[in-house]
């Protein structure tokens, strides 16, 4: 039985992926930051672990536990992350660091610890959850854009560095998918952005908050979380997975636009979204 370690399984994509893989015969080690979420995962029959990816020791303990149980690790899906909305000029350095601590540094720590296992056993799969915003950038999402672009850079480099091995690096570029992403982003927006004292105050109040407060299902090209779970399942079932997987029509359309349009034309297009 193949196993996989997944981060960020409390809700949404991570939660659905854990269930989908379990239903298809994989041994899933699903992790979440909060104890109540860990208990929920356990009640569903999952091997649940309490892991905050910003805490190195949590990742170490989780991987050590997996090895005591199975003596191996077949794959890791770095899914934990959140979005910090706000114009770049309104994002403090501290807030940007916080975004990177989860989305990039936590992902990187989990990756390099898993890589030690993969190198020793001679095989493994690293699945990095990026975004369509790792391909193109949208306004008022600068912190999130930057964290996903950074994931792309690390993943692109690692693929070259493992090219002569049985270790595979796959990046999933997800577009709009039903989850609590917007709900969590709204919390971070209210916590970290000085909405009342910004050049963009009118825009924040009339447009951005409305978008964040609306049901994500109304977003064009939106897909359920199973769309990503099924891609992870496909990667697990494939001996030599592809380096990149696009999820949702939005990702395909915008990825194509990035390849064929000039920077000026692309900016004009994206500024209308």
């Amino acid at each position: 039985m193949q196993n996989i370690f997944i981060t960020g399984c409390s809700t949404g994509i991570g939660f659905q992926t854990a269930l989908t893989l379990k239903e298809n015969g994989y041994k899933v080690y699903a992790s979440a930051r909060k104890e109540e979420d860990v208990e929920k995962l356990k009640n569903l029959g999952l091997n649940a672990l309490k892991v905050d990816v910003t805490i190195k020791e949590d990742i170490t303990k989780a991987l050590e536990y997996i090895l005591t149980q199975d003596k191996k690790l077949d794959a890791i899906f770095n899914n934990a992350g959140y979005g910090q909305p706000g114009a770049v000029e309104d994002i403090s350095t501290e807030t940007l660091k916080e975004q990177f601590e989860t989305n990039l540094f936590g992902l990187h720590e989990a990756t390099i610890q898993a890589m030690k296992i993969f190198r020793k056993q001679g095989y493994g799969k690293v699945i990095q959850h990026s975004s369509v915003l790792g391909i193109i950038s949208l306004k008022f999402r600068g912190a999130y854009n930057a964290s996903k672009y950074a994931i792309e850079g690390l993943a692109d480099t690692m693929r070259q560095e493992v090219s002569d091995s049985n270790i595979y690096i796959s990046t999933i570029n997800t577009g709009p998918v039903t989850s609590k992403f917007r709900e969590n982003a709204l919390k971070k927006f209210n916590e970290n952005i000085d909405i009342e004292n910004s050049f963009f105050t009118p825009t924040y109040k009339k447009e951005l908050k409305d978008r964040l407060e609306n049901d994500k299902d109304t977003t064009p090209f939106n897909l359920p979380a199973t769309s990503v779970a099924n891609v992870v399942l496909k990667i697990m079932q494939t001996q030599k997975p592809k380096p990149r997987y696009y999820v949702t029509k939005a990702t395909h359309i915008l990825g194509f636009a990035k390849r064929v349009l000039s920077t000026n034309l692309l900016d004009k297009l994206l500024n209308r979204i």
Side-chain angles (χ1 to χ4, degrees):
M1 179 184 288
Q2 290 189 61
N3 67 9
I4 183 171
F5 173 48
I6 306 176
T7 64
C9 295
S10 59
T11 61
I13 291 169
F15 179 74
Q16 185 59 57
T17 300
L19 292 180
T20 296
L21 292 183
K22 179 180 181 295
E23 291 166 359
N24 281 273
Y26 292 91
K27 188 171 185 180
V28 179
Y29 290 93
S31 69
R33 289 186 304 116
K34 298 179 181 179
E35 192 61 51
E36 56 265 35
D37 291 326
V38 174
E39 289 304 313
K40 177 182 70 175
L41 295 169
K42 286 181 179 178
N43 291 335
L44 292 170
L46 292 160
N47 300 286
L49 305 169
K50 187 174 184 299
V51 176
D52 182 336
V53 297
T54 66
I55 302 174
K56 179 179 179 179
E57 292 75 15
D58 279 8
I59 298 169
T60 302
K61 289 178 182 178
L63 292 174
E64 286 178 346
Y65 175 77
I66 293 170
L67 291 180
T68 62
Q69 298 299 303
D70 297 339
K71 311 300 181 186
K72 65 163 186 170
L73 177 67
D74 292 297
I76 180 171
F77 177 31
N78 284 305
N79 170 71
Y82 71 92
Q84 172 62 65
V88 172
E89 64 193 76
D90 292 332
I91 301 288
S92 69
T93 302
E94 291 71 23
T95 298
L96 186 62
K97 286 179 179 179
E98 183 180 341
Q99 176 79 103
F100 270 61
E101 283 292 340
T102 296
N103 288 17
L104 182 69
F105 301 143
L107 172 146
H108 182 62
E109 183 62 42
T111 299
I112 61 175
Q113 290 199 35
M115 280 297 297
K116 291 180 181 178
I117 299 171
F118 294 157
R119 287 294 190 187
K120 186 175 181 179
Q121 66 191 19
Y123 64 89
K125 295 174 181 175
V126 177
I127 307 169
Q128 307 291 40
H129 195 182
S130 183
S131 169
V132 62
L133 298 183
I135 302 170
I136 55 93
S137 297
L138 292 180
K139 59 187 176 183
F140 306 123
R141 298 164 176 84
Y144 185 75
N145 294 337
S147 70
K148 293 301 182 178
Y149 269 70
I151 291 171
E152 296 285 330
L154 290 178
D156 287 349
T157 305
M158 284 193 74
R159 284 201 313 274
Q160 299 175 42
E161 295 168 349
V162 302
S163 61
D164 60 348
S165 73
N166 288 318
I167 301 170
Y168 297 92
I169 315 295
S170 295
T171 304
I172 301 178
N173 294 101
T174 303
V177 170
T178 301
S179 70
K180 287 192 175 182
F181 185 87
R182 283 195 172 195
E183 179 182 326
N184 295 331
L186 180 60
K187 291 178 183 178
K188 290 296 183 181
F189 181 60
N190 290 326
E191 286 175 8
N192 296 320
I193 302 299
D194 187 355
I195 299 170
E196 299 294 338
N197 296 290
S198 168
F199 176 83
F200 295 100
T201 295
T203 303
Y204 285 162
K205 289 184 175 181
K206 293 180 181 179
E207 180 182 346
L208 191 56
K209 288 198 75 171
D210 285 343
R211 285 189 181 185
L212 292 174
E213 289 170 352
N214 282 341
D215 189 337
K216 192 175 179 67
D217 290 345
T218 63
T219 305
F221 306 116
N222 185 82
L223 290 177
T226 52
S227 62
V228 182
N230 289 334
V231 170
V232 178
L233 175 61
K234 184 177 181 180
I235 293 171
M236 294 298 292
Q237 294 173 334
T238 304
Q239 186 175 357
K240 296 181 179 180
K242 296 190 297 184
R244 186 177 302 281
Y245 294 82
Y246 281 3
V247 180
T248 77
K249 288 183 180 179
T251 305
H252 285 278
I253 293 169
L254 293 173
F256 177 76
K258 177 68 175 282
R259 293 192 298 273
V260 301
L261 297 181
S262 69
T263 300
N264 283 335
L265 283 176
L266 183 63
D267 283 351
K268 289 179 181 179
L269 170 65
L270 298 177
N271 216 24
R272 298 174 64 181
I273 297 176

